[in-house]
Amino acid sequence: RTLARALKDLRPGDTLYLAEGKYAAVPWNKAGNGESPIRICGRGRAAVIVTSRLPLTGGAGIVFERLDFARGAVLADSRDLTFKNCTFFGTAGGLSADNVKDLKITHSVFAGVPLCLTETEAVTLTGNIYANADKPAVRLDTAGALRYSDYNNYQDTAQSWEVNGAVWSFADVQQRHHDRYSQTLEPEFVVAHGVPRLLNEIPFKSTGPNSTALGIHQEY
């Protein structure tokens, strides 16, 4: 019952459900074909914690859903990747993507860790909560990497993005036609079962895309 055992057998079209618990990550290379997605999902609402940094190289058509990354994930040379209802936290990590095309991150939480994008294309960011106190939430080498970014929440309005080494405030981001309908509130977290969960959830309800909740969104 380990990721090392499960990942080696996954094929396009497969879905792997992970029960509540902790799982050590292993390098995952050349997975998927970009046609029928491989899905890795937490089963139910319980915490599914990936305890070490997940390296994914050469992936195509991979979906991660309802997972909690304690030390982040590193993506390289991949395409068509999706993170939905995921939490990134811990003292290191966040999510880093290098040479990745068509990356979608929706309804996810970055609790004090950044999203870093280099040599990326067609990135979609929506419904996310960035708890980016005193540091940029999103670091990227060019704003052209983004296909769409809106309906997110930024904690630090003075430094929301860092683009090619230059810090952009929330106002700077909006002036460049991104995040027009995003908000700037301070999220408060409580640690539940080893994972930071939103405590002051009322201001984040119904303010995401299509009136959904920002951050983790349970549709049913």
Side-chain angles (χ1 to χ4, degrees):
R1 297 183 180 182
T2 64
L3 283 179
R5 171 67 180 83
L7 294 182
K8 66 181 183 179
D9 289 336
L10 289 179
R11 299 293 181 265
D14 287 349
T15 297
L16 170 65
Y17 287 105
L18 299 177
E20 178 181 8
K22 297 181 179 180
Y23 300 84
V26 293
W28 197 17
N29 301 317
K30 298 182 179 179
N33 60 11
E35 297 176 4
S36 298
I38 296 174
R39 301 175 66 239
I40 302 179
C41 307
R43 187 178 186 276
R45 301 190 181 199
V48 176
I49 303 174
V50 182
T51 57
S52 51
R53 182 173 293 186
L54 173 69
L56 171 63
T57 304
I62 313 291
V63 178
F64 300 91
E65 189 168 355
R66 297 188 299 276
L67 303 179
D68 305 302
F69 293 90
R71 296 190 66 82
V74 179
L75 319 173
D77 305 323
S78 301
R79 60 187 175 89
D80 192 15
L81 306 180
T82 299
F83 290 81
K84 181 180 180 182
N85 281 322
C86 292
T87 300
F88 299 88
F89 63 104
T91 57
L95 179 59
S96 298
D98 180 67
N99 192 27
V100 175
K101 183 176 182 180
D102 198 4
L103 171 64
K104 299 180 183 68
I105 305 171
T106 65
H107 290 290
S108 293
V109 174
F110 292 81
V113 293
L115 168 63
C116 300
L117 307 172
T118 55
E119 300 294 331
T120 54
E121 297 180 46
V123 177
T124 297
L125 307 174
T126 183
N128 303 305
I129 293 177
Y130 304 111
N132 60 312
D134 303 320
K135 53 190 172 184
V138 181
R139 295 188 172 103
L140 58 165
D141 51 1
T142 171
L146 293 175
R147 171 189 287 154
Y148 179 80
S149 179
D150 212 342
Y151 294 96
N152 300 298
N153 182 89
Y154 297 87
Q155 180 175 342
D156 194 319
T157 59
Q159 41 185 347
S160 296
W161 289 9
E162 182 182 295
V163 183
N164 195 25
V167 174
W168 288 13
S169 68
F170 183 67
D172 294 331
V173 173
Q174 290 190 315
Q175 287 175 3
R176 291 166 170 84
H177 309 292
H178 292 289
D179 287 276
R180 290 278 183 91
Y181 299 99
S182 292
Q183 63 184 33
T184 56
L185 297 176
E186 181 176 352
E188 299 173 8
F189 295 102
V190 60
V191 177
H193 304 287
V195 179
R197 297 302 190 199
L198 192 63
L199 181 62
N200 57 334
E201 60 181 17
I202 297 300
F204 299 89
K205 285 183 177 291
S206 303
T207 54
N210 299 316
S211 297
T212 56
L214 287 174
I216 306 302
H217 172 64
Q218 302 287 353
E219 186 171 357
Y220 301 109

